[in-house]
Structures are given as C-alpha cells and as structure tokens.
Amino acid sequence: ILSAIAYPSYQDSIRKSKRADARAQLMEASQYMQRYYSQNDRFDQSNAATPVANTLPPALATAPRGAASGTQDYTVQFQANTLTARDFTLEAVPRAGSLMASDKCGTLRINSVGRRTVSGNSGGMTAETCWR
C-alpha cells in the first residue's frame, strides 16, 4: 500500500526536476539568442548574412545539458517557422521513450519577448504551473 502511494509521488518529483532542467536550458538558449541579436541586429542571420539555419549550438539543443546520447529528456529547438529577423520561439519538446514523453506539461515554449507558454498539456496543467 505504501509503495502504491509513494512511487507515483516519487515519479512526480523526478518529472518536476527534469522539467526544471528543460526550463533552465530554454532560458539559456533564449539568452544566447538575445546576445546574438545584440551582435547582429537580427535573430535570423549574422551581419555577414550567414543564416542561423534554424538550429541552436549543440550544447543548447538538449536537456539535461551534457546528458549522454539516448538519456536526454528534451530536445530544445526553434518552433517551426518562428525564426525571423525580429522574433523567435524556442521549445523544449519531450523526447519519445523518455520519462518526460508522457509529462502532463507537454512542450515548454519561450519567445523573443520572454512569453512562456506550453502546448500539448493535459490534466489541468497550465503554463503558470509548468513554468514554476
């Protein structure tokens, strides 16, 4: 009986921790993009007209950072068709096969003005709850 109560609580605690890793990685990737903008006056290409190519540096592309291949819980990427000269939206997408694949918060997102949202959330989970 005790394990029936304790195990789900333990898994919920692990999910919260992994979600915190994803939030931290999204914030770091967002700061990277803000620095890129301050150097190039736009998000989508450098002053030398080199496109960003819709990819982040490898160190920012997974969560948790530095996890071995196959053990990452999230893929951090640009949301499709959101990278422009003046705007971007980054998302942390739960990886299939990971504990987070069934997380009730779904995909975490942050845009160029710092707006934090979620998609694919369930079970009454809101952006405010998931970003806390």
Side-chain angles (χ1 to χ4, degrees):
I1 294 173
L2 183 60
S3 66
I5 296 168
Y7 187 68
S9 180
Y10 169 74
Q11 279 197 316
D12 187 46
S13 178
I14 295 295
R15 281 191 180 98
K16 285 180 184 178
S17 174
K18 291 179 180 288
R19 206 177 304 130
D21 288 340
R23 289 191 311 261
Q25 196 71 349
L26 277 174
M27 295 300 293
E28 189 171 343
S30 179
Q31 290 169 356
Y32 168 83
M33 290 305 296
Q34 296 298 339
R35 286 190 305 274
Y36 187 90
Y37 185 88
S38 70
Q39 294 169 353
N40 298 288
D41 298 321
R42 58 188 303 152
F43 291 116
D44 62 344
Q45 70 182 27
S46 70
N47 285 332
T50 304
V52 170
N54 289 328
T55 57
L56 291 166
L60 297 175
T62 59
R65 184 181 202 143
S69 180
T71 63
Q72 299 105 344
D73 298 305
Y74 289 89
T75 299
V76 179
Q77 61 193 18
F78 291 103
Q79 183 184 358
N81 304 313
T82 64
L83 180 61
T84 68
R86 301 284 176 240
D87 298 296
F88 68 83
T89 300
L90 293 167
E91 60 185 5
V93 181
R95 295 187 107 164
S98 75
L99 175 66
M100 300 312 288
S102 61
D103 186 49
K104 291 180 180 180
C105 282
T107 299
L108 303 170
R109 292 188 175 136
I110 188 166
N111 68 13
S112 53
V113 296
R115 184 169 179 247
R116 300 169 183 182
T117 60
V118 294
S119 72
N121 50 321
S122 63
M125 299 298 275
T126 64
E128 181 179 302
T129 302
C130 294
W131 275 91
R132 195 170 347 139

